[in-house]
Amino acid sequence: MTAIRAAAPRTPLGRRFGLLMGALLLSSLGNGLCFPFTSIYISQLLGLGGRAAGGYFIAMAAASFAAALAGGPLADRGSPHRVGALGGAALAVGYALLAPAGSVTLVLASGVCVGAGFGLFYASIVGIVDLAVPESGRRSAFAIRHIVNNAGIGLGSVAAGLALHGAATPVGALRWLYLANGLAALPLIAVTLGVRPRTRRPAPEEENRSAEKPEAGPTYRTLLRARPMALLILAQALFAIVGFTQIEATVPLLIHDRMAVTLGWVSAVVAANSFALIALQPLLRRRLERLPETVSLAAGPVLWTGAFGCGLGAALAGEAAPAAVRYGLLLAFAVIFAAGELMYSSAFYPLLLRWSGEEAVGRASALASLAWNLGTASGPPIGLFVVANASATGSWLALALGAAAAFTVAAALHRRTAV
């Protein structure tokens, strides 16, 4: 009689992880209330002009860069939870400052606080999540974290749209939304501190030994000298440039302006991507856990290339094609792209944790955050330039080639680490 192989039991992620994700969902929902409107709010509704809006984002980027570099070693030397809570507090203050803002000074101060908050939080969140779950649950935990972040922003955007639709004065409604965004960060501070592991106080002789032999851990330069880590950080930047920013910024403009797709269908494609993330995670979880992390990471841009191919098929079909074919291909793009996102999110941070070691998780997280910021800053202008200067088919081909370039880096990473 053939024995039936039992399925591997699902690793419980625990109450601390659940609390952390609940607080992260609320904070992301608060971000979704505001982030699409900030430049309009500052430049037009507050009447401060484009320079003030540009200054806000420059201040935010500079503060995020500096805070991430400083926050990485702080998280490694002490507790990532304290660094994360400090980042959450800076976010709360920064967003709350935009509610009463009426001057350039307050706007710039808000940008500095928000940037510092993001820099500190993302330098610490990897270590916080890792300490909240068993090692066998890492891949599921980071995939869920990615879903929670996107779901919160999506829900917040819908809520903001409803609030602004019924508002008598948009500026007044947005002031309340920024205040709500600041308040939404407060539970994240409390939960981040509350899920700290309880450890015993070291004996005096242990403290003396630690004082005699301090361990600073690897520096940023040491981490980047390791070829796998350098390739992983490069992959992070490329994934942001050719993948995540393109579905957020480029694809909606591409299908609306170059393919004459209505705004309703643009929203449907974006929503399908968000819902697919939620639906696919439990379906793909077991398969993802069986794949080596480097294979899963390389599979992400392969799926994105296929997704962009679906968009190319919809463009080639044209407006004369049956609606079921054209819109079916666009929805297939959204679902396949979501599968690629899950491949990335289940593999990237477990690899980062493994190669950094416990003593340098904060620094490695800071490098990943900086690479992500570089990608999200440069990806939209690149994508929008392509759409402005190419046809619909040419734009989809360019997006597919970008995903293929990201695959070459991920494939090199796999070859480098293969035994």
Side-chain angles (χ1 to χ4, degrees), residues 338-350:
E341 290 182 71
L342 289 174
M343 291 287 180
Y344 154 85
S345 60
S346 72
F348 178 84
Y349 288 106

Side-chain angles (χ1 to χ4, degrees), residues 290-312:
R290 286 196 293 264
L291 283 176
E293 284 99 336
T294 53
V295 173
S296 182
L297 193 71
V302 171
L303 287 168
W304 289 346
T305 303
F308 291 136
C310 290
L312 175 61

Side-chain angles (χ1 to χ4, degrees), residues 260-306:
V261 172
T262 64
L263 288 176
W265 269 103
V266 172
S267 298
V269 170
V270 174
N273 174 257
S274 298
F275 289 130
L277 280 171
I278 298 170
L280 289 175
Q281 198 277 332
L283 296 176
L284 296 178
R285 183 186 65 85
R286 295 187 187 280
R287 291 182 174 84
L288 289 174
E289 290 176 353
R290 286 196 293 264
L291 283 176
E293 284 99 336
T294 53
V295 173
S296 182
L297 193 71
V302 171
L303 287 168
W304 289 346
T305 303

